[in-house]
Amino acid sequence: MLLTSVSSFAQDGLHYFKDPVQRSVTYNKSLINANLENQKVALDRENVKGKLLPHVSANAMYGYLNSSIDLDIPTKTLPLLGTPLFEGSQKMNISSQVGLAGVTATQVIFSGLQITNGQKALEQKFKAQQLMSEAGYDQLAQEVMLSFDQLMLLKEVDLLIKDSEKRLNKEHDKVIKGIENGFAIPYDRDKIKLAMLELESKKAEVESNRELLYFKLEELTGMSIEELRSIDYKLDQLPLDMAAAKTMNRKELAALEASQKAYEYVLKKEKGAQLPQVFAFGNMSYFNAFGTDITVKDLPKVGDLKIESNHMRMAPSFAVGIGMKWNIFEGKAHKTAVEKANLDVQINANKLTDTKEKLALLQRKTEVDYDLSLKKIQVSEQQMAIAQNNLHLASRQFEEGLADVTERLEAENEFYKQSLGYYNQVLSHRQAASELLKANGNLYQTITQ
């Protein structure tokens, strides 16, 4: 409701900028890159979320095994025969081909809330970065607005120069006739001609500045020069409802508040690392040892014993269960991580408090500047009215021969100066109004509503 109130006062003077400002936001490469960077956070969030899903892996292996074994078993004697068994160490050789394949699935059941809190932390980080990106909208909107205001100021300068040219041409014609009739001297003509040449110089300067401003707006908005030239309005005051305009909507504050929540979730995550992790697992596998040769050497009364096997197959083999991992002691790793997370919480809280204090000061400053700009406009209006009245008097006195050409030109220059000062003051007032809206985070929304 309050923002709508601001718009009802100011939107009539700002609606010209809606399309250029919106296009500048979508065209600005820094904002585009900021959004792309934030998408990485969104991907990290999805990655963490995926840790709660089952992890399934498949493996397969084929190999050749060859090994020599030296086995020493305590000697046993058969009671009836008195034959010793396993006398001394027994040497054997085994060779076989082995094939193995299987599928394993694991799923986290309880992570000490690390995954849950990590996911929430990334959600808040995404929100904070998005808000910080949107915080740049006001600055961009102000650049576009003030660039157009400067163009409108140049339009007013064009009118001032044109009016001054008309008056000087009229005076020049009178002086020429006066010279022909002996009532004026060439010096008067040259003084007026010099003043007219100064106006030509100002016209060239205005045109150069206008061209640079259009190039700047083209770079800011991505709009063509023809589209930019179609935007035209009168440079006038921007009245604001101060109570509504001072409503704090700064994205930076909201971003810091979201960051605070993110750091708090990170702290909870680090504390949760002390809890055990519980997971479920399942496995199905196939095992086959084939072409196996076993040679047991130097058996008593037998000699070398050779055993062959076509295959030894284990298929299918199943295994399911629940496991737990608990890092009981990790040196100081866990304690350090918790302390760092706690420090991050405190640092961000201090930033939030400091930002609120600075924005409160900025609120007061921009309000004072806005009120001052209104008072300066009133003074400039009076100065311009006096200069205009003096110009009329000087023109009449010059026609009647009561003032020389120097006094006439001084009055012309003073009127131009005061008129230009008035429009510059209007420009400063509009900048003060934009600063007030920007300081409270309302400029972009007011323009684009």
Side-chain angles (χ1 to χ4, degrees), residues 410-436:
E410 285 178 354
E412 185 71 39
N413 288 335
E414 185 63 21
F415 176 68
Y416 177 87
K417 175 185 174 182
Q418 296 301 330
S419 298
L420 182 58
Y422 167 76
Y423 287 114
N424 271 317
Q425 192 53 54
V426 173
L427 181 66
S428 297
H429 158 76
R430 291 173 66 89
Q431 182 174 2
S434 70
E435 286 288 353
L436 177 59

Side-chain angles (χ1 to χ4, degrees), residues 225-321:
I225 299 295
E226 291 72 20
E227 289 177 296
L228 295 170
R229 289 184 187 276
S230 67
I231 297 174
D232 185 67
Y233 57 93
K234 182 173 177 57
L235 194 65
D236 209 346
Q237 298 182 38
L238 283 176
L240 298 177
D241 178 358
M242 295 302 292
K246 292 192 298 180
T247 303
M248 182 54 68
N249 291 304
R250 286 293 290 256
K251 300 294 185 182
E252 292 90 339
L253 282 180
L256 284 171
E257 289 170 353
S259 295
Q260 186 69 16
K261 292 180 181 179
Y263 284 124
E264 289 171 357
Y265 281 124
V266 170
L267 178 59
K268 292 179 181 179
K269 170 183 170 293
E270 294 300 340
K271 288 181 177 179
Q274 198 172 19
L275 298 174
Q277 298 182 25
V278 181
F279 59 92
F281 66 89
N283 174 268
M284 182 179 70
S285 61
Y286 167 88
F287 174 83
N288 187 12
F290 56 95
T292 303
D293 293 321
I294 302 175
T295 302
V296 182
K297 297 180 179 181
D298 301 326
L299 286 175
K301 300 180 182 181
V302 177
D304 292 348
L305 175 63
K306 293 185 177 181
I307 303 174
E308 295 182 354
S309 169
N310 291 330
H311 68 262
M312 183 180 70
R313 185 178 300 153
M314 299 171 62
S317 298
F318 295 95
V320 293

Side-chain angles (χ1 to χ4, degrees), residues 14 50 80 102 114 203 233 283 302 313 322 344 358 416 432:
L14 297 176
L80 297 178
Q114 289 187 80
K203 286 169 65 175
Y233 57 93
N283 174 268
V302 177
R313 185 178 300 153
I322 295 177
D344 286 335
K358 289 179 178 178
Y416 177 87

Side-chain angles (χ1 to χ4, degrees), residues 3 138 244-245 247 249 437-438 440-447:
L3 184 57
D138 276 355
T247 303
N249 291 304
L437 290 171
K438 187 181 77 169
N440 294 281
N442 296 323
L443 181 59
Y444 175 78
Q445 291 180 340
T446 302
I447 290 175

